Amino acid sequence: SSEVLEAIENVIQDVLKSLAQKKAPVLTLADRSNWRNIEFKDSVGIQMIPHTTTKQVRMDCPRSAHKFALILKLLSMIYKMVQSNTYATKRDIYYSDTLLFGSQCIVDNLINEISCMLKIPRRSLHILSTTKGFVAGSLSYTEEDGTKVNCTCSATAVTVPSNVQGIRNLISQAKFMLIVEKDATFQRLLDDDFCNKMSPCIMITGRGIPDLNTRLLVRKLWDTFQIPIFTLMDADPHGVEIMCIYKYGSLSMSFEAHHLTVPSIKWLGLLPSDLERLNIHKDALIPFTKQDQKKLASIQKRPYIACQPMWKRELEIMAASKLKAEIQVLTSLSSDFLSRVYLPNKLQFGGWL
């Protein structure tokens, strides 16, 4: 906490120095949305380069004065929370002054900017994000406050903890971990008792694009158990994008890649090549939108695709067909095809990339 306080004090001192010299104060932020500031490393995924291009938030510029004020406001809130050892969610912060902040999205983005500027992980700023992910299967642990949690597979899943760093005494008999893109598929596998039927496993869903806590938990489980991790996504550009976030990280959080990515993650399904192999009827597939084409083209250009020839081939199949499929398409073969045939065969015969 002293490191956080010191980092904030340094920023404020620079502001005061500029004011004393009758100069307009300036905050310098790394340009987090620029791929040129990113390098790809096999062992980490995409991470920010040490000397990034920056952007300035000036107090004397009408375009950025409001942003400057918001950053100082957030710094003062963080400073008070760290000093008093209290925590707030990003939602609490937004609702503390909705007129000032304007939208939740602005708060979320500024918190990431501050975390990157101070070079301090977001959870050390005493800001918690609301968790939306679920976990189930062969896993038990103790939360920071001493609560014992058992995720053993039943019809209900456990919410991913809001303080992943604080959990301890992790115990599991799992042979593998399965990350499921969508909540509906996750619930279906729970209903089919997949965690116990196949072999003990841990299932996780971020319910779409994963939040920070879900990504932290996947990483923590990997560090603790070192078991294979597979992903089950829709065969569409959005599903591939989500899988890449778990495996290689995201552009906006590349400055924290070391805590968040698991480069050993494997793509289990739904593979574009599976659709042909399983004779899925064309009528059950969905035509690409312009947005899908754009998204796929941008993924194909990313630095990590070049070192994944098998992935590259799957993306080419998808691009050529201009068709996408949701995991639910497998129910056209039989209602429990996913848990009874598809996943067991894939896991038994090594059908992953």
Side-chain angles (χ1 to χ4, degrees), residues 49 52 60-61 68 109 123 146 151 180 251 292 299-300 305:
I49 57 173
T52 58
D60 63 344
C61 166
F68 186 96
N109 188 45
R123 59 207 158 277
C151 307
V180 182
L251 189 59
D292 289 326
I299 293 171
Q300 286 177 302
I305 297 298

Side-chain angles (χ1 to χ4, degrees), residues 190-206:
L190 269 186
D191 294 344
D192 290 348
D193 200 20
F194 176 75
C195 297
N196 298 319
K197 273 185 189 156
M198 179 72 205
S199 65
C201 72
I202 299 168
M203 280 201 319
I204 286 189
T205 180

Side-chain angles (χ1 to χ4, degrees), residues 131-135 160 179-183 186 203-211 214-215 218 233 242 246:
T131 298
K132 64 185 180 99
F134 287 133
V135 58
V160 167
I179 298 171
V180 182
E181 177 186 350
K182 281 186 179 152
D183 192 26
F186 180 85
M203 280 201 319
I204 286 189
T205 180
R207 296 161 77 196
I209 293 171
D211 58 295
T214 305
R215 290 175 62 190
V218 169
M233 306 280 151
I242 289 170
Y246 283 108

Side-chain angles (χ1 to χ4, degrees), residues 210-221:
D211 58 295
L212 188 69
N213 293 327
T214 305
R215 290 175 62 190
L216 282 168
L217 183 63
V218 169
R219 176 59 194 250
K220 182 149 191 146
L221 293 173

Side-chain angles (χ1 to χ4, degrees), residues 8 11-12 15 19 25 27 59 66-79 110 114 117:
I8 295 173
V11 172
I12 302 305
V15 169
L19 289 171
L27 296 172
M59 196 173 112
H66 183 61
K67 186 174 182 177
F68 186 96
L70 290 183
I71 291 174
L72 289 198
K73 167 77 173 165
L74 284 168
L75 286 173
S76 93
M77 291 174 89
I78 292 163
Y79 195 85
L110 287 176
I114 288 169
M117 173 177 78

Side-chain angles (χ1 to χ4, degrees), residues 78-96:
I78 292 163
Y79 195 85
K80 278 180 197 152
M81 288 192 296
V82 174
Q83 265 189 328
S84 59
N85 197 24
T86 53
Y87 288 81
T89 64
K90 294 189 294 185
R91 216 169 158 64
D92 296 334
I93 289 172
Y94 168 58
Y95 280 109
S96 71

Side-chain angles (χ1 to χ4, degrees), residues 2-18 26-27 72 75 79 117-118 120:
S2 60
E3 194 187 324
V4 182
L5 297 176
E6 196 183 325
I8 295 173
E9 284 160 10
N10 289 340
V11 172
I12 302 305
Q13 260 173 338
D14 287 345
V15 169
L16 293 173
K17 242 182 244 170
S18 299
V26 172
L27 296 172
L72 289 198
L75 286 173
Y79 195 85
M117 173 177 78
L118 301 178
I120 285 167

Side-chain angles (χ1 to χ4, degrees), residues 4-288:
V4 182
L5 297 176
E6 196 183 325
I8 295 173
E9 284 160 10
N10 289 340
V11 172
I12 302 305
Q13 260 173 338
D14 287 345
V15 169
L16 293 173
K17 242 182 244 170
S18 299
L19 289 171
Q21 293 164 3
K22 298 202 166 26
K23 288 182 187 161
V26 172
L27 296 172
T28 305
L29 306 175
D31 188 355
R32 293 182 304 119
S33 58
N34 193 337
W35 278 96
R36 280 182 302 209
N37 286 332
I38 299 301
E39 61 179 358
F40 170 64
K41 236 179 155 180
D42 254 356
S43 58
V44 180
I46 54 175
Q47 61 178 12
M48 204 169 250
I49 57 173
H51 304 291
T52 58
T53 56
T54 55
K55 52 189 180 181
Q56 291 194 328
V57 181
R58 301 182 61 89
M59 196 173 112
D60 63 344
C61 166
R63 264 214 335 261
S64 65
H66 183 61
K67 186 174 182 177
F68 186 96
L70 290 183
I71 291 174
L72 289 198
K73 167 77 173 165
L74 284 168
L75 286 173
S76 93
M77 291 174 89
I78 292 163
Y79 195 85
K80 278 180 197 152
M81 288 192 296
V82 174
Q83 265 189 328
S84 59
N85 197 24
T86 53
Y87 288 81
T89 64
K90 294 189 294 185
R91 216 169 158 64
D92 296 334
I93 289 172
Y94 168 58
Y95 280 109
S96 71
D97 198 334
T98 53
L99 279 176
L100 175 72
F101 290 117
S103 78
Q104 183 70 60
C105 181
I106 289 171
V107 172
D108 297 357
N109 188 45
L110 287 176
I111 288 165
N112 286 342
E113 295 275 32
I114 288 169
S115 175
C116 185
M117 173 177 78
L118 301 178
K119 294 187 171 49
I120 285 167
R122 197 169 80 190
R123 59 207 158 277
S124 302
L125 303 177
H126 284 229
I127 295 170
L128 306 169
S129 45
T130 316
T131 298
K132 64 185 180 99
F134 287 133
V135 58
S138 173
L139 175 67
S140 63
Y141 57 83
T142 308
E143 288 199 335
E144 196 179 26
D145 62 2
T147 310
K148 287 185 165 48
V149 178
N150 191 352
C151 307
T152 308
C153 229
S154 63
T156 55
V158 172
T159 308
V160 167
S162 58
N163 183 0
V164 175
Q165 301 310 101
I167 67 173
R168 55 189 195 280
N169 305 335
L170 287 89
I171 298 165
S172 177
Q173 259 69 58
K175 298 284 181 281
F176 64 92
M177 205 156 104
L178 183 67
I179 298 171
V180 182
E181 177 186 350
K182 281 186 179 152
D183 192 26
T185 311
F186 180 85
Q187 296 299 339
R188 179 66 212 240
L189 290 172
L190 269 186
D191 294 344
D192 290 348
D193 200 20
F194 176 75
C195 297
N196 298 319
K197 273 185 189 156
M198 179 72 205
S199 65
C201 72
I202 299 168
M203 280 201 319
I204 286 189
T205 180
R207 296 161 77 196
I209 293 171
D211 58 295
L212 188 69
N213 293 327
T214 305
R215 290 175 62 190
L216 282 168
L217 183 63
V218 169
R219 176 59 194 250
K220 182 149 191 146
L221 293 173
W222 160 248
D223 287 338
T224 310
F225 302 120
Q226 302 277 308
I227 50 177
I229 303 179
F230 303 108
T231 57
L232 181 63
M233 306 280 151
D234 287 342
D236 66 11
H238 190 64
V240 175
E241 170 89 286
I242 289 170
M243 173 171 57
C244 291
I245 290 172
Y246 283 108
K247 185 177 172 77
Y248 294 123
S250 59
L251 189 59
S252 66
M253 294 296 287
S254 56
F255 63 95
E256 267 209 65
H258 290 270
H259 312 287
L260 294 171
T261 59
V262 185
S264 61
I265 283 174
K266 302 279 183 257
W267 186 4
L268 187 69
L270 190 59
L271 302 177
S273 58
D274 288 340
L275 303 173
E276 206 167 292
R277 192 173 53 81
L278 296 168
N279 286 324
I280 302 282
H281 204 277
K282 282 269 197 304
D283 294 349
L285 305 177
I286 308 159
F288 261 26

